[in-house]
DNA sequence: GCCAACGTTGGC
DNA sequence: GCCAACGTTGGC
């Protein structure tokens, strides 16, 4: 059975939770999301889906690739039971980070949800966009 | 630190 | 159910 994976992008402020924090921890719980659109994405995620790890505020760039290690469970920081978390594991750091500036400057990436829904903390990435960003990162 | 974008809340 | 006020996010 072939499993078709999806691609995502998750934002984190590096002074709160950085790529290095994720690597140090080995596995991170993506909790605290309180936005319905982001929740839709969290619930659509499947184990094995790959995720760009993006640093907002400081750096403002995609720094690494992570993978969903546990899909859709109730957010442990939520008392109402309405919100969803996933767990992620680091896969590898990009050879070279891809900055928001570069993404904005690239016509092939103009439709990325990172740009069109920039306030969304968890967004979708198409396969074409995924491959394009990887190419920019030098593999 | 400022401000624009936009999601959420609550009064009516 | 509309919409104004408010709060939060995130780039600069």
């Amino acid at each position: 059975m072939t499993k078709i994976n999806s691609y995502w992008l998750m934002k984190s402020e590096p002074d709160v939770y950085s790529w290095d924090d994720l690597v140090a921890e080995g596995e991170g719980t993506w909790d605290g999301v309180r936005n319905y659109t982001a929740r839709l994405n969290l619930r659509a995620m499947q184990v094995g889906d790959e995720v760009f790890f993006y640093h907002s505020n400081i750096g403002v760039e995609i720094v690494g690739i992570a993978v969903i290690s546990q899909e859709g469970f109730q957010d442990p920081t939520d008392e109402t039971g309405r919100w969803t978390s996933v767990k992620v594991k680091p896969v590898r750091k990009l050879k070279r980070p891809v900055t928001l500036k570069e993404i904005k400057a690239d016509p092939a990436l103009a439709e990325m949800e990172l740009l069109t829904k920039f306030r969304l903390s968890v967004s979708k990435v198409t396969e074409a966009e995924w491959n394009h960003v990887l190419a920019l990162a030098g593999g």
Side-chain angles (χ1 to χ4, degrees), chain A residues 15-95:
Chain A
D15 53 355
V16 178
Y17 194 85
S18 70
W19 170 259
D20 288 338
D21 292 332
L22 178 64
V23 171
E25 222 181 359
E27 184 177 43
T29 302
W30 214 273
D31 56 26
V33 174
R34 298 291 183 269
N35 173 286
Y36 290 102
T37 311
R39 186 180 73 176
L40 264 173
N41 286 336
L42 287 174
R43 290 186 175 172
M45 288 173 174
Q46 294 184 296
V47 170
D49 283 359
E50 291 185 289
V51 180
F52 281 138
F53 193 102
Y54 175 88
H55 280 172
S56 62
N57 264 314
I58 301 163
V60 194
E61 58 195 8
I62 298 170
V63 289
I65 297 172
V67 64
I68 303 296
S69 54
Q70 189 181 334
E71 62 197 38
F73 58 96
Q74 190 186 315
D75 188 332
T77 67
D78 168 38
E79 287 156 15
T80 68
R82 285 190 298 161
W83 300 103
T84 300
S85 279
V86 297
K87 286 188 182 181
V88 294
K89 283 182 178 172
V91 176
R92 67 183 174 89
K93 206 168 180 170
L94 294 182
K95 267 188 196 162

Side-chain angles (χ1 to χ4, degrees), chain A residues 65 92-96 98 131-139:
Chain A
I65 297 172
R92 67 183 174 89
K93 206 168 180 170
L94 294 182
K95 267 188 196 162
R96 196 180 64 77
V98 177
N131 291 329
H132 198 91
V133 170
L134 281 187
L136 289 178

